[in-house]
Amino acid sequence: MSWQSGVPGVPGLAGGNNLPAGPSGDQSRAPGSDGTEPGRTTVTVASFPDYPSAQYTVDFLSDNQFPVERAAIVGTDLTLVETVLGRMTTGRAALAGAATGAWFGLFIGLLFGIFTVGNWWAVILVGLVIGAIWGAIFGAIAHAMTGGRRDFTSASSLRANQYAVTVDATLADQARQLINRMNWPGQPADAAG
């Protein structure tokens, strides 16, 4: 789905009733959970299929002295995406546990090293080694206890299908006028006006 625009030549500028309803079902009011104060009426002034376009718009408003503390970028139609990074084996789980344990051991070694009179480097090194050993043991045991039900590593992220730029209703006309003057990346300067 591409961006929708009510004004020719200006991607995403709200015009008419062509924007989707937000999470509350109302196009002219953003939910209070988006960081706005309860009872503060907001209006969608632009809508984009990607976050960088919405960010570029808010940055443009900021560059033109618009009070951006009265603006928000609201992602709608959220999707959880889990990207599989690779296979997890007991050896890899032990290595990951060793790395985590080494950091914890280093921290404990530093704490004890502060109060040590004499060879404080040895205290730090012993803490690091003991932490790595215990981390490897616990990492391997934790992976083995899954019984092969999760033999992969992954990273999760939230993605929105649409990003709306909302502003206070009292500032909506000012925001629309500024957005109407924007030069979009890759667009000729005279096409925006």
Side-chain angles (χ1 to χ4, degrees), residues 100-119:
T100 303
W103 278 111
F104 184 70
L106 178 65
F107 174 70
I108 297 298
L110 286 170
L111 285 178
F112 281 115
I114 291 172
F115 301 107
T116 300
V117 178
N119 195 357

Side-chain angles (χ1 to χ4, degrees), residues 42-130:
T42 59
V43 176
T44 300
V45 293
S47 183
F48 305 94
D50 57 54
Y51 181 77
S53 296
Q55 184 180 6
Y56 179 78
T57 301
V58 174
D59 185 54
F60 180 82
L61 291 173
S62 176
D63 291 345
N64 285 279
Q65 310 309 313
F66 183 84
V68 289
E69 63 274 5
R70 302 310 242 172
I73 298 174
V74 181
T76 57
D77 195 13
L78 296 176
T79 304
L80 175 66
V81 178
E82 184 173 7
T83 305
V84 177
L85 301 174
R87 181 169 164 70
M88 178 59 76
T89 62
T90 304
R92 285 189 180 182
L95 278 174
T100 303
W103 278 111
F104 184 70
L106 178 65
F107 174 70
I108 297 298
L110 286 170
L111 285 178
F112 281 115
I114 291 172
F115 301 107
T116 300
V117 178
N119 195 357
W120 55 275
W121 279 103
V123 173
I124 294 173
L125 184 62
V126 167
L128 188 135
V129 170
I130 290 173

Side-chain angles (χ1 to χ4, degrees), residues 6 22 25-27 43 45 47 62 70 75 82 91 119 139 143 146 154 176 178-179 186 193:
D26 183 5
Q27 285 184 298
V43 176
V45 293
S47 183
S62 176
R70 302 310 242 172
E82 184 173 7
N119 195 357
H143 177 70
T146 64
S154 63
R176 284 187 184 112
L178 287 170
I179 292 170

